[in-house]
Amino acid sequence: MEYRKNRKGEPISILGYGCMRFSTNVRGIDIDKAEKEIMKAYEMGVNYFDTAYVYSGSEAALGEILERNGIREKVNIATKLPQYLVGSRAALDKYFEEELKRLRTTYVDYYLMHHMTAMNQWDKLEKVGIRDWIEEKKKSGQIRNIGFSYHGNTEDFIGILDSYDWDFCQIQYNYVDEHTQAGKRGLDHAAEKGIPVVIMEPLRGGKLVNLLPQKAKDLIAEAPTGYTPAEYGLRWLWNQPEVTCVLSGMNSIEMVEENCRIASNAEAGSFTEEDFAVIEKVKEIIRETELVGCTGCRYCMPCPKGVDIPALFRSYNLTALEGKFEARFGYAQTVGLKKDPAFATQCIECGKCEQHCPQNIPIRKMIKEADKVVRPLPYKIGINVVRKFMLRK
């Protein structure tokens, strides 16, 4: 197992165990199966285990397994505050104490503000005293490293990152999402500040394995390296020294063994020109399924009325690659929950975006078509309801 360092110089396994996707049975999480998988990962060198308050049964299962096997002090637990449910200082203690009980521990190694999507969420937490609360918990030793997980645009990610002295952060990042959400620019900004970055959705929930176009699967199968689609995705990430740890939701012994094998020799800078060429060809094949030829260059931005054109087109294209539900949900969480709306319905058809588009996309026409697909009436209603709940002062 390869290891990289946190800000204190402590080793973190480059492969982390994502505990959101434990196998279940009629009673809930299949604790015996999860225990075998977690212990296999531990034996193979994994020392970072990621869970969250809202992962049903996950914290309790992880806590039971670590206690039963006497390895709590030998691993790092990462869990998350449901910041979207917090409305007072008392709520901070309520959720944190409940998590400690579930995890059967007196401290959390890596504690995150969960699912940040916009700068206003951090502003809200500041109003309830999050800075003093974090300082108290770190001083007492109950929290050893503080961070946040993020789903939103690059600008707000950088804004949150610069607003506090974070110990680490967690972002969605893979070769398809290289220039979306926090993206490469966000990853590099964190690295410049010396902040470790944990990666979630390295394979987009397995979609960069199971839902790749057949043409892409054939291309990978013919490559001389013998890498699987998953191995290409993971090695692409670990090739970047700015990446500290990559989370994988492993739910079989075979998957644990395979991922640990890859992580045993995945050094930064080891990706070859041939490897990069394969990834680029796979991305080209994926783009062949796209409904609009947007490259995400953002030359069309900023829109005078705030429409996030690249984010809309990306979600529109994902309806063809991954399915409408996933694309709509992703759009809802990354764009729909921003403090200032960024929807296509705000367009006044000034045409400035089209003047700068290198792909000559008829943007004014296409954003209307895309919005109908990505944000149909039920989703418009749902987004508005959630916005009122999550963005309330």
Side-chain angles (χ1 to χ4, degrees):
M1 180 66 62
E2 293 282 333
Y3 296 86
R4 296 180 185 176
K5 302 290 183 65
N6 66 9
R7 298 184 80 177
K8 302 170 186 174
E10 300 165 339
I12 301 175
S13 55
I14 63 170
L15 175 64
Y17 203 117
C19 300
M20 186 175 70
R21 296 187 175 95
F22 285 142
S23 298
T24 59
N25 54 30
V26 292
R27 294 185 299 275
I29 288 177
D30 188 336
I31 191 76
D32 293 331
K33 182 174 182 292
E35 181 174 14
K36 292 183 178 67
E37 293 156 359
I38 283 178
M39 291 308 298
K40 172 57 72 173
Y42 168 73
E43 291 164 5
M44 298 188 75
V46 173
N47 71 0
Y48 190 96
F49 295 83
D50 172 271
T51 182
Y53 181 86
V54 295
Y55 298 170
S56 180
S58 176
E59 287 180 323
L62 180 62
E64 179 180 343
I65 291 167
L66 297 182
E67 181 184 66
R68 182 189 298 175
N69 290 274
I71 61 170
R72 167 63 189 99
E73 303 296 326
K74 300 177 181 179
V75 301
N76 298 299
I77 291 177
T79 195
K80 309 176 187 77
L81 171 77
Q83 54 81 20
Y84 33 81
L85 300 178
V86 170
S88 67
R89 171 64 181 262
L92 294 172
D93 286 319
K94 170 184 177 294
Y95 290 117
F96 185 69
E97 292 301 324
E98 186 176 349
E99 289 182 299
L100 291 181
K101 290 179 182 178
R102 290 176 177 180
L103 289 162
R104 306 188 187 193
T105 187
T106 58
Y107 67 94
V108 175
D109 303 277
Y110 293 86
Y111 198 59
L112 303 96
M113 307 294 106
H114 193 197
H115 205 289
M116 302 287 276
T117 60
M119 190 68 203
N120 62 289
Q121 293 172 320
W122 175 244
D123 295 337
K124 176 185 164 185
L125 286 171
E126 287 198 288
K127 290 178 182 178
V128 301
I130 191 67
R131 288 178 180 266
D132 289 342
W133 185 84
I134 292 172
E135 184 177 345
E136 289 175 10
K137 296 302 179 186
K138 292 188 75 172
K139 187 175 181 179
S140 70
Q142 289 181 292
I143 293 175
R144 298 191 172 181
N145 298 276
I146 194 72
F148 66 98
S149 66
Y150 187 79
H151 292 278
N153 65 31
T154 308
E155 288 71 25
D156 278 359
F157 172 76
I158 291 174
I160 295 173
L161 199 70
D162 289 346
S163 296
Y164 188 77
D165 185 21
W166 302 101
D167 295 309
F168 73 113
C169 62
Q170 183 171 311
I171 64 173
Q172 176 170 319
Y173 185 63
N174 51 68
Y175 64 76
V176 169
D177 291 318
E178 185 177 8
H179 300 296
T180 60
Q181 296 204 25
K184 185 70 166 68
R185 187 155 65 91
L187 176 71
D188 289 343
H189 188 71
E192 289 168 5
K193 295 171 71 71
I195 298 175
V197 181
V198 177
I199 303 300
M200 56 183 158
E201 300 294 351
L203 303 174
R204 293 192 60 82
K207 296 179 180 66
L208 295 183
V209 178
N210 302 319
L211 292 185
L212 280 178
Q214 188 59 49
K215 186 177 177 182
K217 292 179 181 179
D218 293 341
L219 172 70
I220 290 173
E222 294 167 2
T225 58
Y227 294 165
T228 64
E231 187 161 2
Y232 267 111
L234 293 174
R235 287 188 180 277
W236 181 86
L237 287 164
W238 285 323
N239 185 69
Q240 302 171 65
E242 300 83 4
V243 169
T244 305
C245 177
V246 175
L247 300 177
S248 177
M250 299 174 280
N251 54 19
S252 73
I253 293 294
E254 294 74 20
M255 190 182 299
V256 170
E257 292 177 336
E258 175 67 3
N259 287 356
C260 287
R261 177 192 65 78
I262 300 168
S264 69
N265 63 358
E267 298 180 357
S270 62
F271 224 52
T272 67
E273 291 185 10
E274 291 76 14
D275 295 329
F276 279 114
V278 170
I279 290 293
E280 287 306 311
K281 289 178 182 176
V282 169
K283 290 165 71 172
E284 288 176 12
I285 293 169
I286 290 174
R287 283 194 289 268
E288 291 174 2
T289 69
E290 293 177 341
L291 302 173
V292 56
C294 175
T295 64
C297 68
R298 301 189 74 83
Y299 287 171
C300 58
M301 300 296 285
C303 167
K305 291 298 179 180
V307 180
D308 194 333
I309 300 166
L312 173 59
F313 283 159
R314 176 180 174 277
S315 294
Y316 185 40
N317 283 328
L318 285 176
T319 63
L321 177 64
E322 297 184 354
K324 291 181 179 179
F325 174 80
E326 290 84 355
R328 288 168 176 171
F329 180 78
Y331 183 75
Q333 71 174 357
T334 58
V335 176
L337 300 183
K338 285 175 59 65
K339 181 179 180 180
D340 299 315
F343 303 128
T345 47
Q346 295 160 216
C347 175
I348 57 173
E349 300 196 17
C350 66
K352 291 183 179 179
C353 53
E354 294 181 6
Q355 295 172 19
H356 300 288
C357 178
Q359 313 305 320
N360 296 313
I361 297 170
I363 294 175
R364 288 172 288 182
K365 173 186 175 183
M366 292 304 299
I367 61 172
K368 293 178 182 178
E369 295 181 12
D371 188 64
K372 290 178 182 178
V373 174
V374 172
R375 200 168 58 104
L377 182 59
Y379 277 78
K380 288 182 180 179
I381 296 172
I383 289 171
N384 287 337
V385 170
V386 175
R387 280 179 61 82
K388 289 180 181 179
F389 174 71
M390 292 186 67
L391 304 182
R392 68 188 188 284
K393 294 183 179 179

